[in-house]
PDB file of all heavy atoms in Angstrom:
ATOM      1  N   GLN A  54      -9.664  38.344  29.289  1.00 97.00           N
ATOM      2  CA  GLN A  54     -10.308  39.609  29.585  1.00 97.00           C
ATOM      3  C   GLN A  54     -11.716  39.339  30.082  1.00 97.00           C
ATOM      4  O   GLN A  54     -12.386  38.434  29.590  1.00 97.00           O
ATOM      5  CB  GLN A  54     -10.431  40.469  28.320  1.00 97.00           C
ATOM      6  CG  GLN A  54      -9.164  40.928  27.695  1.00 97.00           C
ATOM      7  CD  GLN A  54      -9.390  41.742  26.424  1.00 97.00           C
ATOM      8  OE1 GLN A  54      -8.765  41.484  25.415  1.00 97.00           O
ATOM      9  NE2 GLN A  54     -10.267  42.735  26.485  1.00 97.00           N
ATOM     10  N   ASN A  55     -12.142  40.164  31.018  1.00 97.00           N
ATOM     11  CA  ASN A  55     -13.523  40.089  31.494  1.00 97.00           C
ATOM     12  C   ASN A  55     -14.038  41.479  31.852  1.00 97.00           C
ATOM     13  O   ASN A  55     -13.278  42.293  32.387  1.00 97.00           O
ATOM     14  CB  ASN A  55     -13.593  39.191  32.738  1.00 97.00           C
ATOM     15  CG  ASN A  55     -13.542  37.722  32.351  1.00 97.00           C
ATOM     16  OD1 ASN A  55     -14.482  37.210  31.745  1.00 97.00           O
ATOM     17  ND2 ASN A  55     -12.446  37.078  32.669  1.00 97.00           N
ATOM     18  N   PRO A  56     -15.301  41.754  31.511  1.00 97.00           N
ATOM     19  CA  PRO A  56     -16.211  40.875  30.773  1.00 97.00           C
ATOM     20  C   PRO A  56     -15.940  40.913  29.275  1.00 97.00           C
ATOM     21  O   PRO A  56     -15.144  41.721  28.809  1.00 97.00           O
ATOM     22  CB  PRO A  56     -17.570  41.489  31.091  1.00 97.00           C
ATOM     23  CG  PRO A  56     -17.279  42.944  31.229  1.00 97.00           C
ATOM     24  CD  PRO A  56     -15.925  43.036  31.875  1.00 97.00           C
ATOM     25  N   ARG A  57     -16.564  40.054  28.522  1.00 96.00           N
ATOM     26  CA  ARG A  57     -16.438  40.071  27.069  1.00 96.00           C
ATOM     27  C   ARG A  57     -17.389  41.097  26.452  1.00 96.00           C
ATOM     28  O   ARG A  57     -17.082  41.688  25.424  1.00 96.00           O
ATOM     29  CB  ARG A  57     -16.751  38.688  26.497  1.00 96.00           C
ATOM     30  CG  ARG A  57     -15.742  37.605  26.868  1.00 96.00           C
ATOM     31  CD  ARG A  57     -14.422  37.815  26.149  1.00 96.00           C
ATOM     32  NE  ARG A  57     -14.588  38.075  24.734  1.00 96.00           N
ATOM     33  CZ  ARG A  57     -14.746  37.151  23.814  1.00 96.00           C
ATOM     34  NH1 ARG A  57     -14.767  35.889  24.154  1.00 96.00           N
ATOM     35  NH2 ARG A  57     -14.871  37.492  22.538  1.00 96.00           N
ATOM     36  N   LEU A  59     -20.189  44.348  27.586  1.00 97.00           N
ATOM     37  CA  LEU A  59     -20.661  45.203  28.679  1.00 97.00           C
ATOM     38  C   LEU A  59     -21.433  46.367  28.092  1.00 97.00           C
ATOM     39  O   LEU A  59     -20.945  47.064  27.211  1.00 97.00           O
ATOM     40  CB  LEU A  59     -19.478  45.705  29.503  1.00 97.00           C
ATOM     41  CG  LEU A  59     -19.789  46.630  30.670  1.00 97.00           C
ATOM     42  CD1 LEU A  59     -20.712  45.933  31.662  1.00 97.00           C
ATOM     43  CD2 LEU A  59     -18.504  47.068  31.368  1.00 97.00           C
ATOM     44  N   LEU A  67     -16.482  51.702  35.675  1.00 97.00           N
ATOM     45  CA  LEU A  67     -16.352  50.292  35.359  1.00 97.00           C
ATOM     46  C   LEU A  67     -14.874  49.912  35.237  1.00 97.00           C
ATOM     47  O   LEU A  67     -13.999  50.767  35.008  1.00 97.00           O
ATOM     48  CB  LEU A  67     -17.096  49.952  34.064  1.00 97.00           C
ATOM     49  CG  LEU A  67     -16.579  50.566  32.776  1.00 97.00           C
ATOM     50  CD1 LEU A  67     -15.567  49.656  32.081  1.00 97.00           C
ATOM     51  CD2 LEU A  67     -17.731  50.849  31.821  1.00 97.00           C
ATOM     52  N   THR A  68     -14.623  48.632  35.414  1.00 98.00           N
ATOM     53  CA  THR A  68     -13.276  48.073  35.280  1.00 98.00           C
ATOM     54  C   THR A  68     -13.324  46.869  34.364  1.00 98.00           C
ATOM     55  O   THR A  68     -14.180  46.001  34.516  1.00 98.00           O
ATOM     56  CB  THR A  68     -12.709  47.646  36.645  1.00 98.00           C
ATOM     57  OG1 THR A  68     -12.631  48.793  37.503  1.00 98.00           O
ATOM     58  CG2 THR A  68     -11.322  47.039  36.492  1.00 98.00           C
ATOM     59  N   VAL A  69     -12.402  46.831  33.418  1.00 98.00           N
ATOM     60  CA  VAL A  69     -12.221  45.663  32.563  1.00 98.00           C
ATOM     61  C   VAL A  69     -10.924  44.993  33.000  1.00 98.00           C
ATOM     62  O   VAL A  69      -9.871  45.634  33.038  1.00 98.00           O
ATOM     63  CB  VAL A  69     -12.143  46.048  31.076  1.00 98.00           C
ATOM     64  CG1 VAL A  69     -12.033  44.796  30.214  1.00 98.00           C
ATOM     65  CG2 VAL A  69     -13.357  46.874  30.666  1.00 98.00           C
ATOM     66  N   THR A  70     -11.030  43.732  33.356  1.00 98.00           N
ATOM     67  CA  THR A  70      -9.827  43.040  33.850  1.00 98.00           C
ATOM     68  C   THR A  70      -9.075  42.372  32.714  1.00 98.00           C
ATOM     69  O   THR A  70      -9.634  42.001  31.685  1.00 98.00           O
ATOM     70  CB  THR A  70     -10.198  41.987  34.895  1.00 98.00           C
ATOM     71  OG1 THR A  70     -10.997  40.962  34.277  1.00 98.00           O
ATOM     72  CG2 THR A  70     -10.963  42.608  36.056  1.00 98.00           C
ATOM     73  N   CYS A  71      -7.775  42.240  32.910  1.00 98.00           N
ATOM     74  CA  CYS A  71      -6.905  41.568  31.955  1.00 98.00           C
ATOM     75  C   CYS A  71      -5.875  40.777  32.742  1.00 98.00           C
ATOM     76  O   CYS A  71      -5.252  41.311  33.670  1.00 98.00           O
ATOM     77  CB  CYS A  71      -6.215  42.577  31.051  1.00 98.00           C
ATOM     78  SG  CYS A  71      -4.945  41.840  29.983  1.00 98.00           S
ATOM     79  N   TRP A  82      -3.110  48.104  26.567  1.00 97.00           N
ATOM     80  CA  TRP A  82      -4.531  48.188  26.215  1.00 97.00           C
ATOM     81  C   TRP A  82      -4.678  48.970  24.912  1.00 97.00           C
ATOM     82  O   TRP A  82      -4.035  50.009  24.717  1.00 97.00           O
ATOM     83  CB  TRP A  82      -5.324  48.908  27.308  1.00 97.00           C
ATOM     84  CG  TRP A  82      -5.736  48.018  28.423  1.00 97.00           C
ATOM     85  CD1 TRP A  82      -5.173  47.924  29.662  1.00 97.00           C
ATOM     86  CD2 TRP A  82      -6.815  47.076  28.420  1.00 97.00           C
ATOM     87  NE1 TRP A  82      -5.818  46.991  30.415  1.00 97.00           N
ATOM     88  CE2 TRP A  82      -6.836  46.452  29.672  1.00 97.00           C
ATOM     89  CE3 TRP A  82      -7.770  46.697  27.459  1.00 97.00           C
ATOM     90  CZ2 TRP A  82      -7.783  45.478  30.017  1.00 97.00           C
ATOM     91  CZ3 TRP A  82      -8.695  45.726  27.789  1.00 97.00           C
ATOM     92  CH2 TRP A  82      -8.703  45.129  29.054  1.00 97.00           C
ATOM     93  N   PHE A 122      -3.532  43.583  34.562  1.00 98.00           N
ATOM     94  CA  PHE A 122      -3.429  44.963  34.066  1.00 98.00           C
ATOM     95  C   PHE A 122      -4.848  45.480  33.797  1.00 98.00           C
ATOM     96  O   PHE A 122      -5.295  45.556  32.658  1.00 98.00           O
ATOM     97  CB  PHE A 122      -2.582  44.977  32.798  1.00 98.00           C
ATOM     98  CG  PHE A 122      -2.182  46.354  32.304  1.00 98.00           C
ATOM     99  CD1 PHE A 122      -1.702  47.317  33.179  1.00 98.00           C
ATOM    100  CD2 PHE A 122      -2.248  46.674  30.956  1.00 98.00           C
ATOM    101  CE1 PHE A 122      -1.308  48.565  32.727  1.00 98.00           C
ATOM    102  CE2 PHE A 122      -1.854  47.922  30.491  1.00 98.00           C
ATOM    103  CZ  PHE A 122      -1.389  48.862  31.372  1.00 98.00           C
ATOM    104  N   PRO A 123      -5.575  45.863  34.830  1.00 98.00           N
ATOM    105  CA  PRO A 123      -6.961  46.301  34.635  1.00 98.00           C
ATOM    106  C   PRO A 123      -7.061  47.684  33.994  1.00 98.00           C
ATOM    107  O   PRO A 123      -6.218  48.551  34.226  1.00 98.00           O
ATOM    108  CB  PRO A 123      -7.509  46.322  36.065  1.00 98.00           C
ATOM    109  CG  PRO A 123      -6.304  46.513  36.930  1.00 98.00           C
ATOM    110  CD  PRO A 123      -5.177  45.831  36.237  1.00 98.00           C
ATOM    111  N   LEU A 124      -8.120  47.865  33.225  1.00 98.00           N
ATOM    112  CA  LEU A 124      -8.432  49.147  32.591  1.00 98.00           C
ATOM    113  C   LEU A 124      -9.649  49.730  33.307  1.00 98.00           C
ATOM    114  O   LEU A 124     -10.675  49.054  33.431  1.00 98.00           O
ATOM    115  CB  LEU A 124      -8.741  48.942  31.110  1.00 98.00           C
ATOM    116  CG  LEU A 124      -9.122  50.197  30.312  1.00 98.00           C
ATOM    117  CD1 LEU A 124      -7.906  51.113  30.159  1.00 98.00           C
ATOM    118  CD2 LEU A 124      -9.677  49.813  28.943  1.00 98.00           C
ATOM    119  N   ILE A 125      -9.525  50.954  33.760  1.00 98.00           N
ATOM    120  CA  ILE A 125     -10.576  51.590  34.551  1.00 98.00           C
ATOM    121  C   ILE A 125     -11.126  52.788  33.794  1.00 98.00           C
ATOM    122  O   ILE A 125     -10.364  53.649  33.325  1.00 98.00           O
ATOM    123  CB  ILE A 125     -10.012  52.056  35.907  1.00 98.00           C
ATOM    124  CG1 ILE A 125      -9.415  50.858  36.650  1.00 98.00           C
ATOM    125  CG2 ILE A 125     -11.111  52.721  36.752  1.00 98.00           C
ATOM    126  CD1 ILE A 125      -8.371  51.234  37.679  1.00 98.00           C
ATOM    127  N   LEU A 126     -12.457  52.838  33.675  1.00 97.00           N
ATOM    128  CA  LEU A 126     -13.134  54.005  33.138  1.00 97.00           C
ATOM    129  C   LEU A 126     -13.925  54.608  34.282  1.00 97.00           C
ATOM    130  O   LEU A 126     -14.934  54.059  34.718  1.00 97.00           O
ATOM    131  CB  LEU A 126     -14.064  53.625  31.986  1.00 97.00           C
ATOM    132  CG  LEU A 126     -13.418  53.287  30.636  1.00 97.00           C
ATOM    133  CD1 LEU A 126     -12.678  51.948  30.672  1.00 97.00           C
ATOM    134  CD2 LEU A 126     -14.453  53.301  29.522  1.00 97.00           C
ATOM    135  N   TYR A 137     -12.314  46.719  22.978  1.00 98.00           N
ATOM    136  CA  TYR A 137     -11.062  46.879  23.701  1.00 98.00           C
ATOM    137  C   TYR A 137     -10.289  45.573  23.744  1.00 98.00           C
ATOM    138  O   TYR A 137     -10.859  44.503  23.989  1.00 98.00           O
ATOM    139  CB  TYR A 137     -11.345  47.347  25.134  1.00 98.00           C
ATOM    140  CG  TYR A 137     -11.873  48.746  25.203  1.00 98.00           C
ATOM    141  CD1 TYR A 137     -13.242  49.001  25.076  1.00 98.00           C
ATOM    142  CD2 TYR A 137     -11.019  49.828  25.368  1.00 98.00           C
ATOM    143  CE1 TYR A 137     -13.740  50.285  25.119  1.00 98.00           C
ATOM    144  CE2 TYR A 137     -11.504  51.128  25.411  1.00 98.00           C
ATOM    145  CZ  TYR A 137     -12.859  51.346  25.286  1.00 98.00           C
ATOM    146  OH  TYR A 137     -13.341  52.624  25.322  1.00 98.00           O
ATOM    147  N   GLY A 155     -10.915  40.271  23.542  1.00 96.00           N
ATOM    148  CA  GLY A 155     -11.635  41.526  23.343  1.00 96.00           C
ATOM    149  C   GLY A 155     -12.803  41.708  24.288  1.00 96.00           C
ATOM    150  O   GLY A 155     -13.413  40.742  24.755  1.00 96.00           O
ATOM    151  N   THR A 156     -13.106  42.969  24.566  1.00 98.00           N
ATOM    152  CA  THR A 156     -14.262  43.358  25.367  1.00 98.00           C
ATOM    153  C   THR A 156     -15.035  44.406  24.574  1.00 98.00           C
ATOM    154  O   THR A 156     -14.491  45.468  24.264  1.00 98.00           O
ATOM    155  CB  THR A 156     -13.833  43.946  26.718  1.00 98.00           C
ATOM    156  OG1 THR A 156     -13.188  42.936  27.492  1.00 98.00           O
ATOM    157  CG2 THR A 156     -15.047  44.482  27.484  1.00 98.00           C
ATOM    158  N   LEU A 158     -17.587  47.154  24.570  1.00 98.00           N
ATOM    159  CA  LEU A 158     -18.203  48.068  25.529  1.00 98.00           C
ATOM    160  C   LEU A 158     -19.140  49.023  24.806  1.00 98.00           C
ATOM    161  O   LEU A 158     -18.758  49.635  23.817  1.00 98.00           O
ATOM    162  CB  LEU A 158     -17.125  48.868  26.266  1.00 98.00           C
ATOM    163  CG  LEU A 158     -17.625  50.009  27.166  1.00 98.00           C
ATOM    164  CD1 LEU A 158     -18.437  49.444  28.326  1.00 98.00           C
ATOM    165  CD2 LEU A 158     -16.462  50.845  27.666  1.00 98.00           C
TER     166      LEU A 158
END
Side-chain angles (χ1 to χ4, degrees):
Chain A
Q54 295 178 229
N55 282 292
R57 293 289 313 277
L59 179 59
L67 66 92
T68 299
V69 183
T70 64
C71 172
W82 276 103
F122 190 45
L124 179 69
I125 302 157
L126 285 71
Y137 291 86
T156 295
L158 172 65

